[in-house]
Every structure is written in C-alpha cells, then in structure tokens.
C-alpha cells in the first residue's frame, strides 16, 4: 500500500505542473502547427513523427497536451517526446501510461510497453518510482513488466536498478515460458534489447553467447551496436568471430560488425582487413543491392589503411 501511495504521489508531482500550465497559460502557439501536421496525409510512414520532432524542445508541452487529448495514433506523440529528449516529456508520457491501466490488458500491452520504453529517451529519473510500481504489479502483462524492468535498468540506480536487472535475467532464464506465445508473454525481439539495458557481466556473457551461436538480424544488430560501445576485449573478440560467420549472418549484419570493429570496438588487425576483403568479394559476387556493395567498398577502403 505504501508503494502504491508513493507511486501515486510521484505521478501527481510529475503531472501537476503540466495540468496547471494547461489551465493558466496562454494558448500554445505550437498547437495549431501540431494539428496541421496531424491532419496532413503522410507521404511516408514516419513523416508526422519527423515533423513533430523538428518542432524541437519548445513544442514539448504542446505535444504532451495533444497526447493526453486522445489522438488517433498516440504512439506518434509518445515517440516524438522520446526523440526530442526533453525531460518535460516525462510527465505526459507517465500520465498517458497511467491511463492504460489495468496493465493486464493484452490488447493494450504493446502500446503500454512501448510508451514505458520511451521514457528512456527523456532521461528523467523521477519516473523510476512509478515505473518500478508497474514492474512490481504481478497482474500486469509480462510484456509490460519487461518494458518496466528494461526502463528501470536503463534509467534508475541502486536497489531499483538491481531489482530490474534481476527481473530481466530471470525472464531470460525462463524465456521458453514467455516466448511460446507472444500474445501472452513477449517475443525474443523484445527480450534481447532488455538484456542490453541490464548491462552487467551476466547479460554481457549472454549476449556474446547469442552472437556466437547465430541470431536473426533483428536481434543481432542491436547487440552489435551495444558491443561496439563497450570498448571491451571480449566484445571485440566476439564481434570478430561473428564477422567470419557467413553461415549464420547475412552480409548486411556482418558489415555492421566490421564497421563496429573499425570504429574502435577492438584492435584493428590484419585479420580484420582480410575478413573485410572477403566480405566485399562476397557482396559483389552475390549480387546484393547497391547499398550493401557501396558500404562494403567504403569499409574495404578504410581497412586498407590498417
């Protein structure tokens, strides 16, 4: 009960300034522009999102107000606040998440989980208490709890971060139960980014093992990006071994591995240069698209300097 009251108090403290501001302030000049963006047909899938983000940090209160007004596609406004990254975006996202309760609702679980994850972009640690309360809600959908754990592991510290890390690692250990039916649990595509957020020795060992065993591109690419930033000898060794694995990995994944190694994830060795040469030859012989061939050629030119 005390935790529930604490979470509620945090939600009030996050949202009260926004609500008072809505009542007291003059009409926000960004509202008309946001309405115009929303009503204009898109020429590509992220056009509205890109235009909202382009409005910048000063538009955050207006974007938050529209999010809470019940738009047809709320995730566009959530993701705009995430990408802008202003900490004022935390309050409307937290309030929007609270409106998705009960968190056991499977039909809303994807929207709720994605909204929770968006809080990582605004980097406001004040969200830790309300989010960890969702993690502790044993009636919540597993996808929602995983998103809450991932976000707490990314944003929070101390006992909250430790609790979140343990939840994700336990979810990995019991993954067959959760991934057997993604409607009742979650997918591997959702689990592995959560392991990246855990970011400790245990999760690093898991991710290196996954990379070595072979994984689909949609799982491997985020792992490659994560390992590229580690500046760790084990990460570099894992990337270089996977770079040679043409059986499990398509050229576009191995190009990402080669780029990570050239950018400094590991020692720039002669064997790396030879591996990139072979990858370039494979890309050109295999009739891959121009984008892949051009990237292979750029990496080959960089590797020639080793």
């Amino acid at each position: 009960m005390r935790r529930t009251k604490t979470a509620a108090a945090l939600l009030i403290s996050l949202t009260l300034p926004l609500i008072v501001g809505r009542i007291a302030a003059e009409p926000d000049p960004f509202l008309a522009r946001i309405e115009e963006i929303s009503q204009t047909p898109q020429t590509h899938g992220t056009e509205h999102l890109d235009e909202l983000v382009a409005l910048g940090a000063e538009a955050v209160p207006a974007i938050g107000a529209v999010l809470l007004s019940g738009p047809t596609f709320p995730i566009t406004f959530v993701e705009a606040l995430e990408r802008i990254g202003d900490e004022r975006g935390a309050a409307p996202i937290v309030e929007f998440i609270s409106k998705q309760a009960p968190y056991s609702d499977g039909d809303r679980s994807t929207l709720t989980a994605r909204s929770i994850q968006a809080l990582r972009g605004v980097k406001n640690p004040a969200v830790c208490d309300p989010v960890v309360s969702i993690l502790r809600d044993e009636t919540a959908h597993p996808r929602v709890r995983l998103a809450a754990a991932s976000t707490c592991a990314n944003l929070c510290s101390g006992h909250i971060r430790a609790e979140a890390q343990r939840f994700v690692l336990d979810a990995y250990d019991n993954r067959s139960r959760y991934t057997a039916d993604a409607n009742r649990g979650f997918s591997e595509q959702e689990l592995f980014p959560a392991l990246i957020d855990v970011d400790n020795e245990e999760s690093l060992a898991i991710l290196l093992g996954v990379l070595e065993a072979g994984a689909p591109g949609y799982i491997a690419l985020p792992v490659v990006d994560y390992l590229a930033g580690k500046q760790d000898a084990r990460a570099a060794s894992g990337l270089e071994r996977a770079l040679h694995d043409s059986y499990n990995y398509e050229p576009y994944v191995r190009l990402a591995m080669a780029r990570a190694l050239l950018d400094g994830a590991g020692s720039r060795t002669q064997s790396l240069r030879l591996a990139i040469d072979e990858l370039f030859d494979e890309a050109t012989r295999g009739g891959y698209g121009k984008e892949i061939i051009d990237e292979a050629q750029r990496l080959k030119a960089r590797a020639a300097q080793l």
Side-chain angles (χ1 to χ4, degrees), residues 83-115:
R83 280 179 49 185
I84 292 172
D86 189 289
E87 66 177 18
R88 292 173 295 173
I93 295 176
V94 168
E95 186 175 344
F96 175 75
I97 291 167
S98 73
K99 293 177 183 293
Q100 308 314 306
Y103 299 121
S104 58
D105 190 321
D107 291 338
R108 290 201 300 269
S109 65
T110 298
L111 173 62
T112 305
R114 181 66 193 92
S115 300

Side-chain angles (χ1 to χ4, degrees), residues 137-295:
D137 180 356
E138 294 185 0
T139 69
H141 193 283
R143 172 178 292 113
V144 172
R145 295 186 76 194
L146 180 68
S150 177
T151 299
C152 286
N154 181 286
L155 278 181
C156 309
S157 59
H159 71 278
I160 291 180
R161 183 167 192 261
E163 180 181 349
Q165 289 172 315
R166 179 43 50 196
F167 181 91
V168 175
L169 291 168
D170 286 348
Y172 176 77
D173 288 341
N174 295 287
R175 62 193 178 278
S176 60
R177 174 160 61 96
Y178 292 113
T179 59
D181 181 355
N183 290 325
R184 294 177 179 271
F186 45 73
S187 67
E188 288 191 340
Q189 193 170 359
E190 294 165 305
L191 176 59
F192 285 99
L195 285 165
I196 290 171
D197 282 327
V198 168
D199 192 29
N200 63 12
E201 289 295 315
E202 192 171 348
S203 63
L204 176 60
I206 291 168
L207 293 170
L208 286 170
V210 167
L211 198 67
E212 187 155 356
Y218 62 82
I219 289 175
L221 286 176
V223 175
V224 170
D225 288 343
Y226 167 70
L227 295 176
K230 292 299 289 181
Q231 300 295 319
D232 181 284
R234 291 169 300 169
S237 178
L239 283 169
E240 192 150 1
R241 285 196 300 274
L243 175 60
H244 291 275
D245 186 356
S246 60
Y247 179 79
N248 280 311
Y249 292 114
E250 291 288 327
Y252 76 96
V253 179
R254 287 157 56 221
L255 285 170
M257 296 170 181
R259 186 166 54 251
L261 289 162
L262 285 173
D263 287 345
S267 56
R268 299 168 184 177
T269 63
Q270 183 76 358
S271 65
L272 173 58
R273 183 182 69 79
L274 293 174
I276 293 174
D277 285 348
E278 291 173 2
L279 182 54
F280 172 76
D281 291 342
E282 179 185 342
T284 52
R285 288 197 314 269
Y288 290 95
K290 183 177 185 300
E291 185 177 349
I292 287 179
I293 294 173
D294 287 349
E295 176 65 2

Side-chain angles (χ1 to χ4, degrees), residues 50-70:
D50 294 339
E51 290 183 354
L52 289 171
V53 172
L55 296 176
E58 291 305 309
V60 163
I63 295 171
V66 175
L67 169 63
L68 297 177
S69 71

Side-chain angles (χ1 to χ4, degrees), residues 121-142:
V122 298
K123 300 293 183 186
N124 187 338
V127 307
C128 289
D129 278 355
V131 175
V132 80
S133 72
I134 298 173
L135 168 59
R136 292 168 180 163
D137 180 356
E138 294 185 0
T139 69
H141 193 283

